[in-house]
Amino acid sequence: MDLTRGEVAEKAASRARQTRRTSKRRRAGRTNAVRLALMAVPVAFFAVFFAYPVAAIVGRGLQADGVWRFGRVGDVLSRPDILDVLWFTTWQALASTALTLLIALPGAYVFARFDFPGRQLLRAVVTVPFVLPTVVVGTAFLALLGRGGPLDEVWGVRLDTTVWAILLAHVFFNYAVVVRTVGGLWAQLDPRQEEAARVLGVGRLMAWWRVTLPALAPAVAAAALMVFLFTFTSFGVVQILGGPAYSTLEVEIYRQTAQLLDLPTAAVLTLVQFAAVGGVLAVHAWTVRRREGALKLVDPALTARRPRGAGQWALLGGVLGTVLLLVLLPLGVLVERSLDGPGGYGFGFYRALGSVDASGGTFLVPPLEAVWNSLRYALVATAVALVVGGLAAAALTRRAGRLVRGFDALLMLPLGVSAVTVGFGFLITLDKPPLDLRASWILVPLAQALVGVPFVVRTMLPVLRAVDGRLREAAAVLGASPLRVWREVDLPLVRRALLVAAGFAFAVSLGEFGATVFIARPDRPTLPVAVARLLGRPGELNYGQAMALSTVLMVVCAVSLLALERIRTDRSGEF
C-alpha cells in the first residue's frame, strides 16, 4: 500500500523519537553502571575500616553471654546525668557553629575576593589550628583565659571552666573550615552576576542576599555541617577548658570506657551519637539538594582585586584583627613557652627532641622522628582520601534515588562517631588474616583517611554539582564515554577544589589524634601522639618538649599548606 508524504514524514519522526529514547536509555544505563562502579571502592573502604570496627565495639557492649540486651538503652537514657550531657552537647554545638559562621564568613569573603600582600601566607596560617592536638590547644587557651593569663592580669577576668572558653576554642579550631570551604567556591563565582543585579537598581546588600548567598548556600551548608559535627563530638577542648561542670557525649564515652570501665553505657552513648549525627546528615542532604543548581564558575585569579573604598579596607582590617587575636595569639603562646627554658629563653627544649635520653623513657626513638612519621602517614592518608573521596564525589555528582543520597550521608559519619570507638574497634577487629594489620604501619594512615574522606567529598561535591550539565550532555552526544566526560569536562573545572580538598585531608591527617593514639606503634609515634605523651608526664623538660614539638607541628603544617597554595596559584591559569 502506498503511503502519503505526510505518513512517511510521521513514521520518520516516530523512528527518530524512538532512536533518541533508546539512545537516552543507553546513556542512562551507562551512567548508572559507572556510578555503581565508582561507589564500589568507597563502600568497601567504609564497610571494612569503619562499619565493621564500630559495630564490633557496640556489639560487645550490648551483648551479655551471647544475648542482646537492648533494655540497656532505655536504662542509660533515663538517667538525669546522661540527659544533661545530651542537652549540653547539642546546644553548645549549635552555638559554636553559629558563632564560627558569624566570625569566619567575612574572612571567607576577604580571602576569596581581596588581593593583598601576605594573603597566601595568612590562608596557610589560619589552617594551622585545625591540625593541632586538642590537648595542646586546650592548654594554650587555658593559659590565655585562665589564672595569670592576659585577661586576668589586665582586667581581672577569667573565662576558664566557662562555656565562653569552649566556644572560643571551637571557633579557633574551625575558622579555617569556613574560610576554605566557602571561600573556595566564592572565589570562583562570577562577580558580574551580582554586578548585573546592582545595575538594575538593587542595593549591594540585597544583591548579595539574592544572588551570591543562594549560590554559596551548598558550600555554607557543608561548612556548617562539618563545624557542627566537630563541635558535637568535641573531646579535648571540653575536657580541659570545661572542667568537671561540662561534658559532651565524646567526653562521657571516654569516661565510661577508660575510667569507669562501663562498656555497656559507652556503647549506648555511641549509638545515640551515631543516630544524632545520622539525623543531622539526613536533614543536610535534603536541604542542600533543594538549593543546588548550575553556577557560572570563573578563574579565581580574575575575581581577586585590591580593596576599594574605606568600607572594604575596614573589612580587611577587621578580618586581619580577628586572625591576630583569635589565631595568632594562642599560637604565639605555644611558641613563647617552647622557648622559655629554665635558664631563660633559648632552644634547649628543641635540642632535647633529638635525644632518647631526654624523654626520660617516654619514647623508644628520639621525639623528633615523629615529624617524619607524621609526614609519611599524612601523605599516604591524603592519597587514600583523595582516591576514595574523589570516586565518591564523582558518583554523587548527579542527583539520584534514596540509595545514593543515603550513601552521601554515610560518608560523613566518621566525623560524628567517637574516635575512641573507632580506635578500639581497629584493635579488636583487624587482628586476623586476611586483615591482620595491627603490626603494619598502614593502619595509621587508614584511620586518618577515614576523617579526610568527608572533607574531600564536601569540598569537591558543591563545585562538581555546579558544573553546567549541558557541557556533559554535549560531550555525551558527541560520543564521549562517562569516563572521558569526567576527564575532559569535570576535572579541568574542579582541579582547584581538588587541591583544596588535598590540603584539608593532609592537614586533618597531620593532626588526627583520637584513633591514632590507640594504634600508633611505640617506635613510630606521630606528632600529636608524641605531644600527648610528653604532656602526660610531669616535669618542666617534658612540658617544654611538648610545646617545642607542637611548634614544629605548626611550622610543618604551615609550610605544607603554603606550598599547596603556591601550586594552586601557579596552576590557576589552567582552568
Side-chain angles (χ1 to χ4, degrees):
M1 182 176 63
D2 295 334
L3 299 177
T4 66
R5 183 177 298 176
E7 289 173 333
V8 172
E10 183 178 353
K11 285 182 175 293
S14 177
R15 286 195 297 268
R17 287 193 297 270
Q18 181 64 31
T19 301
R20 286 196 297 270
R21 286 194 294 267
T22 302
S23 177
K24 186 176 181 180
R25 285 196 297 269
R26 289 176 178 173
R27 289 199 303 268
R30 289 198 300 267
T31 299
N32 290 332
V34 172
R35 187 197 301 274
L36 293 176
L38 292 172
M39 290 173 57
V41 172
V43 167
F45 179 79
F46 276 86
V48 174
F49 298 110
F50 176 70
Y52 178 40
V54 172
I57 287 292
V58 174
R60 290 198 177 193
L62 295 181
Q63 279 186 329
D65 300 325
V67 179
W68 288 94
R69 307 292 186 182
F70 292 107
R72 292 174 174 173
V73 176
D75 295 338
V76 172
L77 296 183
S78 62
R79 291 164 45 181
D81 59 325
I82 298 299
L83 293 177
D84 290 341
V85 169
L86 291 174
W87 167 242
F88 175 75
T89 301
T90 303
W91 83 256
Q92 67 83 24
L94 291 172
S96 297
T97 303
L99 188 61
T100 302
L101 289 175
L102 179 65
I103 295 177
L105 280 177
Y109 173 77
V110 166
F111 283 108
R113 294 300 199 195
F114 290 173
D115 184 16
F116 54 92
R119 184 178 65 158
Q120 296 178 26
L121 177 61
L122 281 179
R123 280 177 59 90
V125 168
V126 299
T127 310
V128 172
F130 198 70
V131 305
L132 291 179
T134 54
V135 290
V136 176
V137 174
T139 303
F141 269 83
L142 194 63
L144 285 173
L145 306 176
R147 185 187 302 275
L151 290 180
D152 186 25
E153 292 182 351
V154 178
W155 291 291
V157 177
R158 291 180 55 189
L159 296 179
D160 58 322
T161 68
T162 68
V163 173
W164 282 109
I166 296 172
L167 297 181
L168 289 175
H170 283 164
V171 175
F172 171 83
F173 265 118
N174 297 296
Y175 186 87
V177 175
V178 178
V179 168
R180 299 186 75 92
T181 303
V182 179
L185 180 59
W186 208 334
Q188 291 183 276
L189 292 182
D190 191 346
R192 291 174 295 184
Q193 300 179 51
E194 185 175 325
E195 293 170 0
R198 296 193 62 197
V199 169
L200 296 175
V202 180
R204 181 186 297 273
L205 181 61
M206 188 58 64
W208 179 84
W209 181 265
R210 292 185 176 180
V211 177
T212 304
L213 184 59
L216 289 174
V220 173
L225 172 68
M226 288 187 284
V227 173
F228 180 86
L229 290 180
F230 275 113
T231 54
F232 188 82
T233 58
S234 184
F235 175 62
V237 167
V238 177
Q239 190 176 38
I240 295 175
L241 297 177
Y246 301 103
S247 178
T248 58
L249 275 173
E250 188 83 358
V251 174
E252 192 64 20
I253 290 172
Y254 174 79
R255 190 174 75 91
Q256 296 290 339
T257 302
Q259 298 178 5
L260 304 181
L261 303 179
D262 189 352
L263 193 57
T265 299
V268 171
L269 295 180
T270 298
L271 287 177
V272 171
Q273 191 178 60
F274 194 86
V277 171
V280 171
L281 294 175
V283 173
H284 166 78
W286 179 75
T287 55
V288 170
R289 190 171 63 253
R290 294 173 63 89
R291 290 192 295 263
E292 285 176 338
L295 303 175
K296 185 177 181 180
L297 304 181
V298 297
D299 185 348
L302 301 177
T303 63
R305 54 179 174 75
R306 295 187 65 83
R308 301 172 183 172
Q312 292 188 357
W313 281 106
L315 177 61
L316 175 60
V319 170
L320 294 179
T322 300
V323 172
L324 175 64
L325 294 177
L326 183 67
V327 178
L328 296 182
L329 186 58
L331 299 182
V333 170
L334 296 181
V335 176
E336 188 272 336
R337 293 193 174 185
S338 71
L339 298 173
D340 189 9
Y345 288 100
F347 295 95
F349 293 139
Y350 290 90
R351 288 191 291 269
L353 294 176
S355 171
V356 177
D357 298 333
S359 66
T362 306
F363 298 98
L364 300 178
V365 296
L368 202 58
E369 287 195 15
V371 177
W372 161 243
N373 295 333
S374 288
L375 288 175
R376 181 178 63 173
Y377 291 149
L379 288 173
V380 176
T382 300
V384 174
L386 287 177
V387 171
V388 176
L391 291 175
L396 295 169
T397 299
R398 297 171 180 83
R399 296 174 179 83
R402 294 181 179 179
L403 178 62
V404 176
R405 293 198 298 268
F407 172 64
D408 184 11
L410 288 175
L411 292 173
M412 298 296 293
L413 285 178
L415 298 182
V417 174
S418 169
V420 176
T421 302
V422 175
F424 274 126
F426 268 43
L427 292 180
I428 69 172
T429 56
L430 303 180
D431 61 342
K432 297 178 182 178
L435 289 175
D436 187 3
L437 302 177
R438 288 188 303 176
S440 174
W441 66 271
I442 196 64
L443 198 61
V444 173
L446 288 175
Q448 295 172 345
L450 276 175
V451 184
V453 168
F455 281 92
V456 175
V457 175
R458 293 270 71 84
T459 303
M460 294 185 61
L461 194 56
V463 179
L464 279 172
R465 286 181 172 172
V467 176
D468 193 340
R470 291 173 295 182
L471 297 175
R472 300 189 185 100
E473 294 173 1
V477 169
L478 294 175
S481 65
L483 180 60
R484 186 174 181 181
V485 170
W486 156 256
R487 187 177 65 250
E488 301 293 340
V489 176
D490 294 83
L491 185 58
L493 294 173
V494 301
R495 188 177 291 118
R496 182 177 187 274
L498 185 66
L499 289 172
V500 173
F504 260 131
F506 185 80
V508 170
S509 300
L510 274 179
E512 205 288 321
F513 173 72
T516 306
V517 69
F518 296 105
I519 57 180
R521 293 174 52 176
D523 59 337
R524 292 180 180 176
T526 63
L527 279 169
V529 171
V531 170
R533 289 181 184 175
L534 289 168
L535 286 176
R537 295 180 64 89
E540 184 179 4
L541 179 58
N542 286 319
Y543 181 81
Q545 287 185 90
M547 295 299 101
L549 208 56
S550 298
T551 304
V552 172
L553 176 57
M554 287 191 299
V555 172
V556 170
C557 175
V559 170
S560 302
L561 294 174
L562 185 59
L564 182 65
E565 288 288 324
R566 293 281 188 183
I567 295 173
R568 182 179 59 81
T569 304
D570 292 342
R571 298 181 62 178
S572 62
E574 299 177 12
F575 52 94

